[in-house]
């Protein structure tokens, strides 16, 4: 039996690291969508539906280039008090986001879409529950300086030092980090 051939439609380093731990042939390729425009065009969607649309759009954006391979599109959002907490992009916003999350529970929602031959064959969602410890302002500032989580939804890098910020988590490490590939591989294997 030949090895599974996957295209990961993502620029995320942690997602690339996760899938590299598996015995699959993988091509890393940035999705060819304007994510910000898609978000603006779909303001009417609830956060979970928007994440699912983005995952689908990312996978389908590469369907013509890689029509014979399984393409995985992903999107993960941080939901706090029913709203999406966007990537902070700067240190002040990261500190502000972490102050809001401190002592509270939020959810990481991951949407995953697998296509082959321009056809959607799998749509999968996983939600993780994350309870953050009560953090002091200095703990937050030191953490942001250490991990620089400016491109991370929730303003933390769980895979680096972010895990130390939490009191409890419900969800697999892969799902928290944005690519539950063990689950997806099982679903793909069932389609072969």
């Amino acid at each position: 039996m030949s090895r599974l051939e996957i295209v990961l439609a993502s620029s995320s380093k942690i997602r690339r690291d996760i899938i590299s731990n598996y015995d699959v042939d993988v091509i890393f390729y940035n999705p060819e969508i304007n994510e910000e425009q898609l978000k603006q065009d779909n303001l009417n969607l609830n956060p979970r539906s928007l994440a699912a649309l983005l995952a689908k759009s990312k996978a389908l954006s590469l369907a013509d280039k890689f029509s014979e391979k399984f393409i995985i599109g992903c999107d993960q959002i941080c939901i706090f008090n029913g709203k999406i907490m966007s990537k902070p992009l700067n240190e002040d916003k990261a500190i502000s986001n972490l102050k809001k999350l401190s002592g509270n529970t939020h959810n990481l929602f991951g949407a995953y879409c697998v296509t082959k031959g321009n056809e959607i064959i799998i749509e999968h969602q996983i939600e993780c529950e994350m309870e953050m410890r009560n953090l002091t302002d200095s703990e937050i500032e030191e953490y942001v300086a250490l991990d620089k989580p400016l491109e991370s939804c929730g303003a933390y890098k769980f895979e680096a030092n972010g895990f130390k910020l939490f009191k409890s988590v419900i969800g697999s490490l892969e799902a928290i980090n944005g690519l539950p590939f063990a689950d997806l591989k099982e679903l793909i294997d069932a389609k072969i």
Side-chain angles (χ1 to χ4, degrees), residues 41-61:
D41 292 346
N42 291 282
L43 294 173
N44 59 321
L45 293 180
N46 68 54
R48 289 166 181 84
S49 297
L50 179 60
L53 172 69
L54 290 170
K56 207 181 304 184
S57 299
K58 290 172 185 179
L60 288 170
S61 76

Side-chain angles (χ1 to χ4, degrees), residues 124-138:
H124 188 63
Q125 293 88 33
I126 293 184
E127 193 146 353
C128 302
E129 189 175 285
M130 315 287 289
E131 183 182 358
M132 198 170 275
R133 295 185 300 105
N134 280 309
L135 303 169
T136 65
D137 288 356
S138 63

Side-chain angles (χ1 to χ4, degrees), residues 90-104:
N90 66 60
E91 285 189 14
D92 289 341
K93 183 66 172 158
I95 290 167
S96 170
N97 284 2
L98 288 172
K99 285 181 179 179
K100 289 176 189 165
L101 295 177
S102 175
N104 291 303

